[in-house]
Amino acid sequence: MDFKHEKSRIYLENEDGNCIAEVTFPEVSNDKVNVNHTYVDRSLRGQGVADKLMTALALDLRKNNKKATATCSYAVDWFEKHPDFEDVYK
């Protein structure tokens, strides 16, 4: 999947340029973000897209020496199920 990266957002567009999946993570300090939203269009559900978005985010956080908190319930559950990324969570 060819995700696009912005400062506080990683997303996927369809061929028409419409957002069909995203994770948003506004900064709360210089080294911390809040993962506050995940979205996957119905046409992509069940294909692991949200997991791939979160993995891309976690790797980006690690690369940039940032940490995440999460208010999005999916993100909270994802981090709990992926202890290999505990270095970037909370």
Side-chain angles (χ1 to χ4, degrees), residues 30-42:
N30 286 338
D31 62 347
K32 189 172 272 190
V33 300
N34 174 31
V35 185
N36 66 353
H37 174 71
T38 55
Y39 164 74
V40 175
D41 186 78
R42 287 181 185 190

Side-chain angles (χ1 to χ4, degrees), residues 42-73:
R42 287 181 185 190
S43 65
L44 297 175
R45 290 189 186 156
Q47 299 177 37
V49 175
D51 177 67
K52 291 173 186 169
L53 280 169
M54 288 298 300
T55 300
L57 168 60
L59 291 171
D60 189 57
L61 291 171
R62 185 178 282 160
K63 181 176 88 174
N64 292 300
N65 293 318
K66 292 191 175 193
K67 300 248 186 223
T69 60
T71 53
C72 167
S73 60

Side-chain angles (χ1 to χ4, degrees), residues 72-89:
C72 167
S73 60
Y74 179 82
V76 170
D77 289 343
W78 187 89
F79 277 114
E80 288 176 1
K81 292 176 183 173
H82 293 83
D84 47 321
F85 288 111
E86 69 183 0
D87 61 308
V88 298
Y89 185 57

